[in-house]
Amino acid sequence: MKRRNFMQKTALGTSALTIMSPLAFANSNKETMPRYNFNLKYAPHLGMFNNHAGDDPIDQIQFMSDQGFTAFEDNNMMKRDVAMQEKIGAALAKRGMTMGVFVIDKGGNMANSLAAGKEDFINIFLDGCRKAVETAKRVNAKWMTVVPGGYERSLPIGVQNANVIEALRRGAEILEPHGLTMVLEPLSDSPDLYLQTSEQTYLICKGVNSPSCKILYDIYHMQKNEGNLIHNMDLTWEEIAYIQIGDNPGRKEPTTGEINYKNVFKWIHQKGFKGVLGMEHGNSISGKEGETALINAYKEVDNFI
């Protein structure tokens, strides 16, 4: 080969390598984790994987889907603008993901207690139900969280129960024609909260007697308030429509606390549960390392078959 032709070909080859090298570098450094086929519909929330996916909600949903998560939940959905709600709804539909709960906006967990039986409190709740119907349409949601509020200490517990049942019946009348379900969540955050245990929530749901009023069984809260998780879930199972997750102590991902989540998930799967299990907890480790550890923790506890 003549020296001139050799030099031209060498220059062209070097140029091509120079042009291609940034792309090759990017591909070689792109983090890839194979999609995992989970046995249950675990639902992450926004912010759980932002170190991997960035701050854009749609990119985060894409990342969740790429890891194998088939559901998503967002407590703050009603607070997001309509355009973002519609974008999230489209993103979930594109990826075949199930929308989990969002919270019906009634002013906060302790506010506007339905146990008090006050019409102005009930009207705030009912207005939240009406607005929730429109939000649910945009994101194709079926379930929405309701916390009835605090105790009304001046009233006997039976009267408080009746007040809550009556208010929830009126809420169910709004949701039922649309095939929507409010899920009542007993919490451990404060001794002043009216709803504390699964048996109490079961009683309320039986009193409301509507397919639009069921139990949200948050495993973290119920481990703190009553323990004996599988037994109590079994007692109230026919009213449980939604489940949330968090290990105790710490309210982080499974495997970080005392709850035997592999055994609990195995039992839930054997019950034939097809609904969503919301990942309502923090990450025990910060950064990308913590996000990867969280994904691996779910793979570990989902390996029960």
Side-chain angles (χ1 to χ4, degrees):
M1 181 183 292
K2 292 182 178 180
R3 185 174 185 277
R4 182 179 179 183
N5 290 342
F6 174 79
M7 293 297 292
Q8 286 176 337
K9 290 185 177 181
T10 301
L12 285 170
T14 304
S15 175
L17 285 171
T18 302
I19 293 171
M20 292 299 293
S21 62
L23 180 59
F25 179 80
N27 286 337
S28 68
N29 283 273
K30 185 177 180 181
E31 296 183 51
T32 57
M33 287 179 271
R35 181 183 175 89
Y36 188 83
N37 293 318
F38 289 104
N39 292 300
L40 295 167
K41 289 184 179 181
Y42 308 112
H45 56 78
L46 295 179
M48 188 164 267
F49 300 116
N50 59 345
N51 288 285
H52 275 94
D55 293 331
D56 182 77
I58 307 307
D59 290 342
Q60 291 184 45
I61 290 170
Q62 176 67 65
F63 180 82
M64 296 170 194
S65 178
D66 289 345
Q67 308 318 303
F69 294 107
T70 55
F72 166 79
E73 72 173 21
D74 182 15
N75 284 343
N76 295 316
M77 186 66 77
M78 287 189 72
K79 300 182 186 300
R80 304 192 189 280
D81 61 56
V82 170
M84 179 53 69
Q85 291 175 5
E86 291 175 343
K87 285 181 181 180
I88 290 173
L92 296 175
K94 179 179 179 180
R95 293 159 182 83
M97 297 175 73
T98 301
M99 179 66 205
V101 291
F102 61 85
V103 175
I104 290 184
D105 188 4
K106 58 173 277 294
N109 287 348
M110 288 296 297
N112 306 315
S113 176
L114 303 182
K118 296 180 179 179
E119 195 65 22
D120 53 340
F121 290 173
I122 295 172
N123 286 336
I124 291 170
F125 164 64
L126 297 178
D127 184 58
C129 289
R130 294 184 190 97
K131 292 177 180 177
V133 170
E134 299 308 311
T135 300
K137 290 177 182 177
R138 299 183 193 110
V139 297
N140 195 30
K142 180 178 179 181
W143 306 277
M144 47 229 62
T145 305
V146 170
V147 177
Y151 279 113
E152 182 56 53
R153 299 291 186 182
S154 64
L155 296 175
I157 189 63
V159 172
Q160 293 184 66
N161 289 343
N163 288 341
V164 171
I165 289 169
E166 177 59 26
L168 294 175
R169 280 179 180 170
R170 292 170 66 179
E173 289 173 358
I174 295 170
L175 302 175
E176 197 168 330
H178 304 279
L180 303 177
T181 303
M182 57 182 160
V183 284
L184 309 182
E185 183 177 14
L187 299 172
S188 63
D189 298 327
S190 167
D192 292 321
L193 282 160
Y194 163 81
L195 208 56
Q196 302 265 345
T197 66
S198 59
E199 66 169 276
Q200 180 192 14
T201 315
Y202 183 82
L203 181 150
I204 297 300
C205 288
K206 287 298 184 184
V208 176
N209 192 29
S210 168
S212 288
C213 183
K214 296 295 179 181
I215 296 172
L216 190 171
Y217 193 98
D218 188 309
I219 296 172
Y220 163 76
H221 287 296
M222 293 301 91
Q223 172 71 358
K224 291 177 67 179
N225 281 359
E226 61 186 28
N228 210 4
L229 295 169
I230 290 175
H231 173 74
N232 286 327
M233 291 180 78
D234 197 39
L235 287 177
T236 59
W237 185 253
E238 64 181 308
E239 296 294 333
I240 294 175
Y242 199 94
I243 296 168
Q244 285 183 327
I245 303 159
D247 215 336
N248 183 59
R251 201 174 187 180
K252 306 300 182 183
E253 69 269 19
T255 74
T256 59
E258 65 188 5
I259 301 174
N260 185 347
Y261 264 106
K262 181 180 284 189
N263 201 42
V264 173
F265 288 158
K266 178 180 180 180
W267 182 86
I268 291 170
H269 185 265
Q270 289 173 341
K271 294 292 284 186
F273 186 70
K274 303 299 183 184
V276 172
L277 297 94
M279 296 160 58
E280 197 184 36
H281 57 73
N283 298 8
S284 63
I285 304 171
S286 61
K288 285 187 176 182
E289 179 188 358
E291 294 172 2
T292 301
L294 183 150
I295 294 166
N296 288 335
Y298 272 90
K299 291 177 182 178
E300 178 181 339
V301 295
D302 186 73
N303 185 25
F304 50 72
I305 293 178

